[in-house]
Amino acid sequence: MSVQCEVTGRRAAGDVMGIFERYLSVWVALAIVAGIALGKFFPGVFEWLSGLEVASVNLVVAVLIWAMVYPMMINVDFSSLRHAGDKPKGLTITLVINWLIKPFTMAGLGVLFFQGVFAGLVPPDDAKAYIAGMILLGAAPCTAMVFVWSQLTDGDATYTLVQVAINDLIMVFAFAPLVALLLGVADVIVPWQTLLLSVGLYVVIPLLAGALTRRRLMSRGGEQAVERFTGQIKPVTIIGLVVTVLLLFAFQGERILTQPLIIVLIAIPLIIQSIGIFGLAYLWARGWSVPIGIGAPAALIGTSNFFELAVAVAISLFGLNSGAALATVVGVLVEVPVMLALVKLVNGSRAWYERHMAGGASA
């Protein structure tokens, strides 16, 4: 059994994650292959599914993400939210990484690779479009999937919610001017429907459902009832993740098969960015003696992206078939495998991380 399984499995009643978590990497790999194949052989079905959207938010994917987020929301202790400000270090790391470092390093890597390393492989106009898409990804920190990554690393559910909520609030005011600055565009069109709907679907609704469920469970059996129930439904998170991966790769299967080189070229700087941002935040958290339940989610929030918003803005600014839109889609395809690898890294390095905490911890 992997370290990832040992860490999360200990808290699951009767090890109900079982085969799902033990072979998570295998299921995701199979989902990627199956998604590409199904998208190729049954394009009409997935075109129909991809068209089920409101304000550029796919409703099928939204339901799956909701299913992934809901189990963690049950663990949110609302009585502890008012004390979140007592642990400023985790929030400081999250905010500095997301708003003062990540957007600018993403833009820098885009320029380095597409106007430098890959200059002879990509036409200049296309290169600018890919850079624009990368910038849109870099300026949109994750809202939904980070709850999944936090859960898989035994993150503090309450504090993760605080980190995501504050990022969402800042995003409402900072996303447009930051993108305008980096793109050199004076008039950035922010699809407010997409932004608000995504926050509602991925944060507000599952949070309310989780709070009601927690209240009912606490009245029946206290914390033990909560842990027992969340342990039983944890497979929903893994199943939702695998099906989401399958759908995302099915939606983009044709592009992957017809433009493999461009997909790889875009993926390279995105992967470097993800690893670099994660490493910076994770080492900072460890060096600053932030508990891993707070430090790991802080690093993972900065690493992952609010891809729904990035894709919607790319389509709005540059068009559906633009290079910018393609770059944001590649961001979606790269994110899940990379984040799963980083989750495994967190769980595998837990003992190393916590040795530094032996002298005392603060957040």
Side-chain angles (χ1 to χ4, degrees), residues 195-327:
L195 179 58
L196 297 176
L197 181 61
S198 296
V199 171
L201 285 174
Y202 303 147
V203 180
V204 177
I205 292 177
L207 178 61
L208 291 175
L212 292 173
T213 303
R214 180 182 180 85
R215 181 178 179 181
R216 185 174 182 182
L217 291 169
M218 289 291 289
S219 67
R220 291 183 171 185
E223 287 290 345
Q224 287 186 339
V226 173
E227 290 190 11
R228 186 164 53 249
F229 180 76
T230 54
Q232 291 170 347
I233 66 171
K234 271 187 176 181
V236 173
T237 297
I238 303 302
I239 294 171
L241 175 60
V242 171
V243 177
T244 300
V245 171
L246 187 150
L247 282 177
L248 292 177
F249 277 82
F251 290 159
Q252 302 300 328
E254 191 64 30
R255 275 187 168 181
I256 295 171
L257 294 174
T258 57
Q259 298 179 279
L261 176 60
I262 293 302
I263 301 297
V264 171
L265 294 183
I266 296 172
I268 289 172
L270 291 179
I271 292 172
I272 293 173
Q273 163 82 357
S274 296
I275 295 172
I277 288 295
F278 171 82
L280 175 61
Y282 194 54
L283 292 174
W284 182 4
R286 182 180 186 267
W288 219 6
S289 297
V290 177
I292 193 168
I294 292 174
L300 295 169
I301 290 172
T303 308
S304 52
N305 304 302
F306 188 173
F307 54 79
E308 296 88 358
L309 179 62
V311 171
V313 175
I315 293 172
S316 175
L317 284 175
F318 303 104
L320 180 62
N321 296 314
S322 65
L326 177 61

Side-chain angles (χ1 to χ4, degrees), residues 68-136:
M68 287 186 275
V69 171
Y70 166 68
M72 185 175 181
M73 290 302 193
I74 298 172
N75 291 318
V76 173
D77 182 2
F78 279 85
S79 65
S80 300
L81 287 176
R82 63 179 180 272
H83 300 297
D86 299 338
K87 302 176 181 179
K89 289 185 177 180
L91 287 174
T92 299
I93 293 171
T94 300
L95 298 179
V96 170
I97 291 293
N98 276 303
W99 299 106
L100 298 181
I101 297 177
K102 180 182 175 182
F104 301 96
T105 56
M106 185 73 93
L109 282 171
V111 171
L112 173 65
F113 277 91
F114 284 102
Q115 294 186 351
V117 179
F118 301 150
L121 300 174
V122 180
D125 288 343
D126 290 346
K128 291 180 181 178
Y130 300 145
I131 293 169
M134 291 177 61
I135 287 172
L136 290 172

Side-chain angles (χ1 to χ4, degrees), residues 157-230:
T158 303
Y159 204 86
T160 299
L161 173 64
V162 172
Q163 290 172 310
V164 170
I166 292 177
N167 269 298
D168 285 346
L169 181 62
I170 293 174
M171 187 157 43
V172 170
F173 299 99
F175 179 79
L178 183 59
V179 169
L181 172 66
L182 293 173
L183 289 180
V185 178
D187 185 19
V188 176
I189 304 169
V190 177
W192 294 105
Q193 277 186 302
T194 300
L195 179 58
L196 297 176
L197 181 61
S198 296
V199 171
L201 285 174
Y202 303 147
V203 180
V204 177
I205 292 177
L207 178 61
L208 291 175
L212 292 173
T213 303
R214 180 182 180 85
R215 181 178 179 181
R216 185 174 182 182
L217 291 169
M218 289 291 289
S219 67
R220 291 183 171 185
E223 287 290 345
Q224 287 186 339
V226 173
E227 290 190 11
R228 186 164 53 249
F229 180 76
T230 54

